């Protein structure tokens, strides 16, 4: 199984577990004399089986990520770099949105709102981070589709 396939299965299992939890909660209580729409015991059994598979899959994915090397480092290092790049690009996006949203004045007597930073300069930085994030994501995706799950 390729790493990318394992990542998709992990995502599917996480979704399935959320759905099972919701169904369990919906069938946890009933009015006296009624029966639940679904058997909570069967749902619990399925939940536990999915949780066990997820735990196994996560351990294998983490092992694969830490042992798979690219020219830029291990997959674990690349994933950490990608997470931080996402954080940084998000911050720059929000910051520059605030810095560039200047209020229009109808008359000269209204308060003038000014940016406290050079927006164009910071926009170049944000664009560079976005480009770096896209390129790094491509490297990660390529590794995911060419790496066998350990």
């Amino acid at each position: 199984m390729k790493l990318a396939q394992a990542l998709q299965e992990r995502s599917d299992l996480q979704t399935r577990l959320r759905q099972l939890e919701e169904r369990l909660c919906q069938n946890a209580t009933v009015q006296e004399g009624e029966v639940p729409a679904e058997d909570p015991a069967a749902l619990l059994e399925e939940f536990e089986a999915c949780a066990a598979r997820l735990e196994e899959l996560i351990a294998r994915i983490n092992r694969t990520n830490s042992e798979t090397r690219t020219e830029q480092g291990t997959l674990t290092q690349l994933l950490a770099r990608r997470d931080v790049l996402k954080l940084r690009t998000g911050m720059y996006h929000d910051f520059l949105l605030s810095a560039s949203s200047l209020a229009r004045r109808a008359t000269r007597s209204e308060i003038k709102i000014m940016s406290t930073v050079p927006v164009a300069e910071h926009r170049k930085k944000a664009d560079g981070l976005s480009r770096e994030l896209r390129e790094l994501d491509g490297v990660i995706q390529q590794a995911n589709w060419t790496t066998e799950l350990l």
Side-chain angles (χ1 to χ4, degrees):
M1 171 188 295
K2 295 290 183 193
L3 179 56
Q5 294 168 305
L7 293 169
Q8 183 60 52
E9 184 179 346
R10 179 187 68 182
S11 176
D12 293 345
L13 281 168
Q14 290 169 329
T15 299
R16 183 75 179 145
L17 285 166
R18 283 190 300 274
Q19 292 169 344
L20 286 167
E21 180 182 4
E22 186 177 303
R23 289 168 53 198
L24 274 161
C25 290
Q26 291 170 350
N27 290 282
T29 59
V30 292
Q31 185 175 334
E32 186 177 357
E34 298 290 325
V35 294
E38 296 182 85
D39 179 19
L43 291 172
L44 278 169
E45 187 176 317
E46 185 178 353
F47 182 91
E48 289 298 335
C50 286
R53 174 66 181 149
L54 180 62
E55 182 179 347
E56 172 195 349
L57 208 51
I58 289 172
R60 291 178 66 193
I61 289 167
N62 288 346
R63 178 175 172 222
T64 303
N65 286 343
S66 66
E67 294 183 21
T68 300
R69 296 208 166 273
T70 69
E71 292 178 8
Q72 298 176 20
T74 66
L75 274 177
T76 299
Q77 291 168 321
L78 297 181
L79 292 169
R81 177 82 180 136
R82 183 180 67 181
D83 289 347
V84 171
L85 279 170
K86 283 181 181 181
L87 175 80
R88 292 173 69 198
T89 56
M91 183 282 301
Y92 272 97
H93 176 267
D94 294 343
F95 171 63
L96 292 171
L97 186 63
S98 294
S100 61
S101 63
L102 306 177
R104 302 222 182 261
R105 298 186 309 166
T107 66
R108 290 179 153 242
S109 62
E110 290 185 59
I111 297 173
K112 186 174 183 179
I113 304 297
M114 304 285 296
S115 179
T116 60
V117 296
V119 173
E121 182 181 313
H122 289 291
R123 181 82 58 206
K124 286 180 185 177
K125 172 81 171 174
D127 291 345
L129 289 171
S130 293
R131 184 186 67 255
E132 185 179 349
L133 177 59
R134 285 190 307 277
E135 291 169 356
L136 180 60
D137 201 46
V139 170
I140 292 169
Q141 293 303 320
Q142 180 182 6
N144 287 346
W145 284 106
T146 58
T147 302
E148 288 291 330
L149 186 67
L150 301 177

